[in-house]
């Protein structure tokens, strides 16, 4: 990930900023320019609540190069407020004990490093509550 | 009245027992645990650093203060494990919390007292009338070389304090700082682990500076140790804070609530600040709190706080220090710990 793209995504990755359609209330995360439901272009910026539940998950046992030393780790789909669903790592957990439906909280964590000398990149991960 | 309007702490879930480290290096676990009075310590997750710990602590402080983050005029983070050599940790924190961009941000460094420095400057900016609120944080993911005595203590955690003048939960009555050039512990640029002067870190460093700041604070305030409900000192191990408290005239009971080091380890810049957070979690109106930090190099910052009636309104708004200390612990063996702390040399 290049620094410019990382910088552009900070509102979503750091603060869970989403767009709420001013007409029909559809919540887009990340924000969209046009509402996929009612086609309006008026959105209000909201912050998603940081609590949700695990809809499903998978355990990564052979990770991509950058994450190969962190296996096994869990990636899940978490549903938060307004029906928004996020794909995120579920951290600080014995992956064998995870269950669908468990309540989680989204916390601020380091996602990856851009190599040994590049920037640290942060964002949200889920932890059990 | 200027003081703390919101406070919050955070500790990672991972732990390693002192016994596990002692066995790794062929040391007697019983002698180590008894000698250092350390049972276990926190270990940061592979995705945790000073920035993420500071954000978690600051979120708890905001939950308690219930203020608009946009009204915070300064953010200072004290640490000796800032993730960047050049780039302030607070720059990331403000965007995570929703502070700024009209805000003054800086990273502080003074070994284990960088957190109390951040608190001192934040409080005094409010006192000077420069801003409505200022945030001071002490957080670390401390380093200790494999096999070194520091490996038993160097842990991770932090505490955040929002300073202000309205709805103050703990008024700052007096402060005093005491500093000298004392080479007891240091880390040169580019070095992975700090070096220390062994026993030299005791009398001429830790005890001299805490006693210096502590005695001056008592003199300045005309208060006696028995006037205080609680006292907290920098906690490099279990023994030192108990000993320095005794020398200054405090009892074991006054130290007990803030003496979290046997189960947390030394969170360096977060050490006395997390101890203070543990005290504020349970303090009652009108309690007096005596706090003296210590940072190698060397110096101490002393504070006297008086708890106000506002405290009971905020205590249950966020997780308490002991919630983090006692719940949901995940224990690591030495191999996992070495991996988590990046002590294993890998192919690039």
């Amino acid at each position: 990930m290049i620094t410019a793209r990382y910088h552009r995504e900070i509102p979503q990755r750091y603060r869970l900023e989403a767009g709420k359609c001013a007409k029909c209330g559809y919540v887009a995360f990340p924000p969209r320019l046009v509402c996929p439901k009612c086609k309006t272009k008026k959105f209000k910026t909201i912050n998603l609540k940081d609590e949700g539940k695990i809809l499903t998950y998978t355990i990564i046992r052979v990770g991509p190069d950058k994450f190969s030393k962190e296996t096994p780790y869990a990636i899940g789909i978490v549903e938060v407020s307004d029906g928004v669903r996020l794909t995120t790592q579920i951290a600080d957990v014995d992956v064998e004990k995870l269950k669908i439906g468990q309540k989680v909280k989204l916390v601020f964590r380091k996602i990856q490093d851009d190599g040994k000398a590049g920037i640290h990149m942060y964002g949200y991960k889920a932890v059990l509550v | 009245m200027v003081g703390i309007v919101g406070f919050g702490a955070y500790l990672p879930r991972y732990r390693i027992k002192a016994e596990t480290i002692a066995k790794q290096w062929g040391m007697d676990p019983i002698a180590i645990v008894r000698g250092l009075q350390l049972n276990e310590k926190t270990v940061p997750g592979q995705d945790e650093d000073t920035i993420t710990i500071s954000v978690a602590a600051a979120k708890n402080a905001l939950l308690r203060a219930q203020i608009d983050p946009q009204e915070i005029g300064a953010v200072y983070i004290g640490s000796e494990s800032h993730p960047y050599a050049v780039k302030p940790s607070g720059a990331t924190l403000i965007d995570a919390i929703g502070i700024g961009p009209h805000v003054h941000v800086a990273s502080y460094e003074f070994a284990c007292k960088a957190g109390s420095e951040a608190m001192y400057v934040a409080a005094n900016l409010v006192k000077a009338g420069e801003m409505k609120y200022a945030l001071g944080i002490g957080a670390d993911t401390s380093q200790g070389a494999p096999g070194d005595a520091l490996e038993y203590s160097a842990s991770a955690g932090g505490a955040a304090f929002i300073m202000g003048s309205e709805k103050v939960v703990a008024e700052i009555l007096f402060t005093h700082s005491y500093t000298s050039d004392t080479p007891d512990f240091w880390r040169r640029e580019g070095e992975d682990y700090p070096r220390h002067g062994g026993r030299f870190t005791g009398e001429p460093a830790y005890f001299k500076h805490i006693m210096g700041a502590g005695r001056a604070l008592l003199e300045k305030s005309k208060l006696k140790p028995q006037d205080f409900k609680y006292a907290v000192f920098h906690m490099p191990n279990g023994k030192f804070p108990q000993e320095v408290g005794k020398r200054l005239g405090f009892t074991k009971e006054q130290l007990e609530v803030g003496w979290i080091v046997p189960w947390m380890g030394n969170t360096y810049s977060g050490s006395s600040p997390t101890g203070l957070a543990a005290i504020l979690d349970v303090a009652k109106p009108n309690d007096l709190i005596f706090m003296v930090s210590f940072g190698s190099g060397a110096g101490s910052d002393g504070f006297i706080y008086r708890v106000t009636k506002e405290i009971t309104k905020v205590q249950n708004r966020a997780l308490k220090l002991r919630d983090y200390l006692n719940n949901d612990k995940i224990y690591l063996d030495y191999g996992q710990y070495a991996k988590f702390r990046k002590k294993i040399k890998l192919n690039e």
Side-chain angles (χ1 to χ4, degrees):
Chain A
M1 194 190 294
I2 55 170
T3 54
R5 179 180 161 192
Y6 172 69
H7 181 255
R8 208 161 49 236
E9 293 174 352
I10 279 177
Q12 286 74 50
R13 292 186 182 276
Y14 285 21
R15 299 189 296 275
L16 300 168
E17 275 188 18
K20 187 169 187 172
C21 176
K23 196 175 166 193
C24 73
Y26 174 82
V27 177
F29 183 82
R32 290 169 175 250
L33 290 175
V34 180
C35 176
K37 284 202 166 172
C38 71
K39 314 300 176 201
T40 190
K41 289 183 180 177
K42 280 192 176 173
F43 282 90
K44 187 188 166 198
T45 300
I46 61 164
N47 295 92
L48 298 177
K49 288 203 171 67
D50 59 7
E51 287 170 353
K53 64 176 181 182
I54 299 171
L55 288 186
T56 187
Y57 68 92
T58 186
I59 299 170
I60 308 294
R61 296 185 191 277
V62 182
D65 282 354
K66 267 190 181 177
F67 303 94
S68 62
K69 305 295 184 292
E70 293 179 29
T71 56
Y73 57 89
I75 298 289
I77 296 177
V78 168
E79 187 172 272
V80 293
S81 56
D82 298 306
V84 173
R85 294 171 177 189
L86 315 167
T87 302
T88 180
Q89 185 180 338
I90 304 161
D92 294 354
V93 68
D94 176 350
V95 292
E96 307 301 335
K97 291 181 181 165
L98 271 178
K99 286 184 186 127
I100 286 171
Q102 280 177 311
K103 286 186 178 169
V104 293
K105 185 179 169 70
L106 296 174
V107 294
F108 186 77
R109 291 291 172 90
K110 190 163 77 174
I111 306 298
Q112 59 177 320
D113 292 328
D114 186 17
K116 201 179 169 188
I119 59 166
H120 301 299
M121 289 175 267
Y122 299 87
Y124 52 82
K125 287 188 183 181
V127 295
L128 298 180
V129 290
Chain B
M1 182 194 295
V2 171
I4 298 164
V5 300
F7 62 95
Y10 174 79
L11 301 178
R13 282 185 179 172
Y14 297 98
R15 301 286 189 280
I16 186 165
K17 288 182 183 289
E19 182 188 347
T20 308
I21 299 172
K23 281 183 179 167
Q24 178 67 29
W25 300 109
M27 304 297 283
D28 176 5
I30 296 167
I32 291 285
V33 170
R34 193 176 52 217
L36 296 172
Q37 292 183 30
L38 294 172
N39 302 303
E40 61 188 44
K41 66 171 191 173
T42 56
V43 180
Q46 295 182 89
D47 54 2
E48 292 187 292
D49 60 20
T50 288
I51 292 175
T52 66
I53 289 169
S54 298
V55 168
K59 282 185 175 177
N60 282 336
L62 272 170
L63 282 172
R64 289 205 170 92
Q66 292 190 351
I67 59 161
D68 178 359
Q70 284 290 317
E71 291 188 308
I72 295 175
V75 173
Y76 302 128
I77 301 177
S79 180
E80 60 177 82
S81 48
H82 290 291
Y84 288 97
V86 179
K87 185 181 189 303
S89 298
T92 304
L93 179 137
I94 59 160
D95 260 337
I97 304 278
I99 301 171
H102 300 284
V103 59
H104 189 249
V105 171
S107 287
Y108 281 63
E109 184 277 321
F110 195 144
C112 295
K113 88 166 182 82
S116 64
E117 284 183 320
M119 294 164 65
Y120 177 86
V121 178
N124 280 293
L125 282 170
V126 173
K127 196 174 171 184
E130 285 291 313
M131 54 195 63
K132 192 171 179 185
Y133 300 110
L135 175 58
I137 299 173
D140 252 307
T141 54
S142 328
Q143 314 93 10
D148 188 274
L150 286 176
E151 197 177 28
Y152 296 101
S153 59
S155 67
F161 300 87
I162 300 170
M163 304 299 184
S165 57
E166 292 168 17
K167 295 186 180 173
V168 169
V169 301
E171 181 186 6
I172 298 173
L173 299 179
F174 298 94
T175 62
H176 191 86
S177 291
Y178 184 99
T179 310
S180 76
D181 185 349
T182 307
D184 61 316
F185 171 106
W186 61 94
R187 179 163 63 84
R188 293 267 299 268
E189 186 71 44
E191 290 292 306
D192 288 332
Y193 303 112
R195 302 291 182 106
H196 56 85
R199 289 188 178 274
F200 187 73
T201 59
E203 288 302 333
Y206 180 88
F207 290 100
K208 178 185 164 187
H209 292 81
I210 291 190
M211 297 289 289
R215 279 181 179 145
L217 207 49
L218 289 171
E219 203 172 299
K220 205 184 256 187
S221 65
K222 303 196 186 330
L223 291 165
K224 296 183 191 70
Q226 53 267 38
D227 294 329
F228 294 86
K229 175 76 176 175
Y230 302 105
V232 61
F233 303 99
H234 174 54
M235 296 172 272
N237 53 50
K239 260 191 343 193
F240 277 23
Q242 294 282 348
E243 175 60 25
V244 84
K246 195 172 149 191
R247 289 190 197 181
L248 281 167
F250 292 94
T251 64
K252 233 177 175 175
E253 289 69 34
Q254 287 169 300
L255 266 68
E256 202 174 355
V257 173
W259 189 62
I260 47 183
V261 61
W263 303 99
M264 181 184 73
N266 176 8
T267 51
Y268 282 35
S269 301
S271 178
S272 49
T274 47
L276 175 64
I279 290 170
L280 292 172
D281 280 341
V282 298
K284 292 189 169 59
N286 294 319
D287 284 346
L288 286 174
I289 303 168
F290 191 85
M291 169 186 168
V292 185
S293 66
F294 171 73
S296 291
S300 284
D301 296 325
F303 298 80
I304 292 176
Y305 305 93
R306 181 191 283 129
V307 178
T308 75
K309 60 179 172 40
E310 295 291 323
I311 192 82
T312 52
K313 296 177 192 165
V314 309
Q315 282 167 328
N316 293 324
R317 286 179 185 164
L319 284 178
K320 296 179 177 176
L321 190 280
R322 280 195 158 71
D323 294 328
Y324 288 109
L325 198 62
N326 300 331
N327 301 337
D328 304 322
K329 294 191 265 191
I330 301 171
Y331 285 95
L332 304 175
D333 59 32
Y334 193 86
Q336 291 169 313
Y337 166 75
K339 184 175 108 172
F340 272 47
R341 298 303 289 131
K342 298 184 173 57
K343 292 177 188 237
I344 300 171
K345 204 168 181 179
L346 302 166
N347 277 335
E348 288 294 321

